[in-house]
Amino acid sequence: MATLARDRESLSKDSSQRLKWSWHLSALTSILALAAILNLWGLSQNGYGNDYYAAAVKSMLGSWHNFFFVSFDPGGFVSVDKPPLGLWIQTASAAIFGYSGLSLLVPQALAGIASVAVLYHLVGRSFGRVAGLIAALVLALTPVSVAIQRSNNLDAYVVLFLLLAAWAGIVATERGSLRWLLVSGLMVGLGFNVKMLQAYMILPALYLLYLLGAPRLLSWKRRLLHLTALTVVILVVSFAWAVAVDLTPASQRPYVGSSSQNSMLDLIINYNGLGRIEGNSLGDNARPANLPAGVELPANFAGGGPGGVEEIGQAGVLRLFSKELAGQASWFLVLALFGLFAAAWRKGWRLPLNRTGQSLVLWGVWLGTQAIVFSFSGFFHAYYLSMLAPQIAALVGIGLVTMWRDYRQGGWRAWLLPLALVATVAVQLVFLSNYPDWRNWLLLAIGPGLLAAFGLMVARVVRQFNRPAWQLGLVGIVMAALLASPTAWALTPVVAQGNSVLPTAGPQLVETTSSGMRMPGSGNIGGAATAKLVKYLEEHRQGSVYILVTSSSQGASSIIIESGLPVMALGGFIGSDLVLTLDGLKEKIANNTVRYFLLSGFEFGGGGGGANGGNNTQLTSWVKQTCTTVNSELWQDASAQTNPFPGGFPGGGSPPSDGGSSVPAMGAGGMGQTLYDCSGAVGK
């Protein structure tokens, strides 16, 4: 009988464990399904996404040479200003499934879903499945993550590679394993080959994690030797392709786009490195050369680039809570900080760190490093904040579980949970105060949450309410209220066409769509207007290698996407690259390498008096003064007369009173553009 009772008890425990696992598995599946809906639903509305990258993929499909050197144009004239891995993934997708908007956008969406799963595992293995589920849900609903994962910008890959690096780093630390540590370095190196130095912001956390958490049997000398090997792997993987590019003779590869020395190492260190920190990544060359009278651009217009004006708030400790950035990733930042404090205070810190201590070092140092960089950097885009999302989400999951245990145990620490929830509600209310139309109905959700948070305080002092079921229900109400606003923000890029050049989430997307304005770089690539231009150029090119020359990639992208034909972006991405001298341009005209030029009333990259901008202004001015104007009726449709600054003219002003003749368009054949025929121009 005793044996039978033990068997029954064992079966009951097994059944309970299966039921518990089934619940967690169902919850995780639901969260991943939610992430898939947010990332994939209506994705085709974003067209080809960022035309700059879409054109590069079209060019890379044309030859292995273009593929390896990530050439922006089919002719191999200038490269994209990013390393290759993210674009290689998109090109592989396009090669397998055909070149289309979805084949370019879906890989990023899938990377985002995978990141949610990896984060669940990372948090759950140290703090339990409930913490992992909370972290996964918060990451899936982070607005800027949804926005970036629905575009063909490359940050979703960096997030995934760094989460994999974190996973390998934690396994290496637990086991004292050099092999797993080198796998972590490999993942960081792969992330570097997506967005360069952006991937290195995890390194302080990884180094400190291994140094403080490796097993006691591993001496300090061995730890330092392992970290040295890690550094070597990171550097070799990171810079192997860049060095290969720089060792290739310049005449045998594209010009390195956005560099000042035609060097990939220069691009890494300056434009995509120090330039981002110092705030002069685009510099004066981002300003137009011949700005129409009465038009003022914001002081930080360079931060937006040709994709549109972008505000990133004033540098300082509160920048992440500014109106411009708060709605992207900071909804739960206060709760994450409370959670980090609660978990760190609860932890008995002894070396080597145990599993929970390792996790806190990883997420806390990683978050702190990135928060400092983004708070004080002079130049970055709002969508870079997707890099903060995993750490915030992880610490929210860790913190809630930790503070709930403290709450149930009593003492002064029991007050951390209700205080953290009340503070987070208050911060969200401040965020919403900037959006009156949205605030009013979101208050219906946040109001009950605030009452429930105060109810947790009452439950601590009123004995009859000190019941776990009631208290847990109150926590659930508060979290549902806190998730309402970020969910609303996260839905905006799903229901409205996003800006794929500068992906963000929030009310501005819905308002722009409802007003009928076009989001720049979102796959609206000219249609019939581009087709008419391409047809004219093909019929009249007379053997020229490039069918067209534009001042920057903005005018070339749509033609490359539509036709796959060689278009020369004279000044690279924004028009400021010093690729050709005037004599070099004349030589290309003389030997029929180029013939037709499509230029606007003013050009980006020429207004600052810098070496690059000044030179390219000299080239475009010579073309305008020397070459023959082509009758616009032959190549341009009336439908091409579109506003080049959708969503508002720069600085909040209005287009010039001359009817827009001096206003440039970003796409081919747009308002204010003129087609020049330079055949026979040399010698004039």
Side-chain angles (χ1 to χ4, degrees), residues 143-441:
V144 72
S145 295
V146 176
I148 197 67
Q149 289 154 189
R150 292 178 62 85
S151 79
N152 59 336
N153 286 270
L154 308 171
D155 297 63
Y157 299 131
V158 185
V159 171
L160 178 58
F161 281 128
L162 294 189
L163 284 173
L164 292 173
W167 166 69
I170 283 191
V171 173
T173 302
E174 291 173 354
R175 302 179 183 180
S177 169
L178 176 61
R179 180 179 62 182
W180 279 104
L181 190 64
L182 298 184
V183 171
S184 180
L186 171 65
M187 292 297 108
V188 174
L190 294 178
F192 182 95
N193 278 286
V194 177
K195 285 294 291 284
M196 296 185 177
L197 294 172
Q198 191 169 317
Y200 281 2
M201 287 191 284
I202 194 178
L203 292 184
L206 282 180
Y207 281 92
L208 198 60
L209 168 68
Y210 194 78
L211 195 63
L212 301 181
R216 191 181 303 275
L217 293 177
L218 203 64
S219 68
W220 289 101
K221 181 179 179 181
R222 289 284 300 277
R223 297 181 200 199
L224 292 174
L225 287 174
H226 285 187
L227 291 175
T228 301
L230 169 67
T231 303
V232 172
V233 168
I234 290 173
L235 293 177
V236 169
V237 177
S238 296
F239 288 92
W241 177 82
V243 171
V245 171
D246 281 0
L247 291 177
T248 303
S251 61
Q252 298 177 21
R253 59 167 172 80
Y255 181 93
V256 177
S258 298
S259 72
S260 59
Q261 306 291 331
N262 193 14
S263 163
M264 191 58 63
L265 293 178
D266 172 70
L267 179 71
I268 293 169
I269 295 171
N270 291 312
Y271 179 81
N272 283 328
L274 296 177
R276 306 281 167 165
I277 300 298
E278 297 172 356
N280 61 351
S281 190
L282 298 182
D284 290 336
N285 291 333
R287 301 184 69 81
N290 305 308
L291 195 65
V295 177
E296 294 294 332
L297 299 182
N300 69 337
F301 177 70
V309 178
E310 182 179 43
E311 299 284 347
I312 56 174
Q314 294 295 319
V317 293
L318 296 179
R319 175 187 264 179
L320 297 178
F321 296 100
S322 66
K323 175 184 177 181
E324 295 83 5
L325 300 179
Q328 303 307 316
S330 300
W331 296 99
F332 288 100
L333 182 54
V334 169
L335 186 56
L337 295 176
F338 266 95
L340 177 61
F341 171 78
W345 190 279
R346 186 184 181 97
K347 172 76 183 67
W349 294 96
R350 289 188 303 174
L351 296 181
L353 299 176
N354 63 15
R355 179 173 286 189
T356 56
Q358 294 166 8
S359 185
L360 290 176
V361 167
L362 171 68
W363 300 116
V365 176
W366 191 4
L367 174 62
T369 301
Q370 295 191 138
I372 291 172
V373 171
F374 291 134
S375 294
F376 295 98
S377 290
F379 175 94
F380 68 93
H381 295 307
Y383 66 80
Y384 290 6
L385 297 185
S386 60
M387 297 287 295
L388 287 170
Q391 303 97 61
I392 293 175
L395 290 172
V396 168
I398 291 169
L400 279 176
V401 168
T402 302
M403 289 187 288
W404 168 251
R405 292 171 183 164
D406 290 340
Y407 182 82
R408 292 297 306 155
Q409 290 176 3
W412 72 267
R413 294 173 57 86
W415 294 96
L416 284 176
L417 178 61
L419 285 174
L421 294 175
V422 168
T424 304
V425 171
V427 169
Q428 288 198 6
L429 288 173
V430 173
F431 292 172
L432 289 173
S433 67
N434 295 309
Y435 303 92
D437 293 339
W438 288 53
R439 177 190 60 204
N440 295 336
W441 63 271

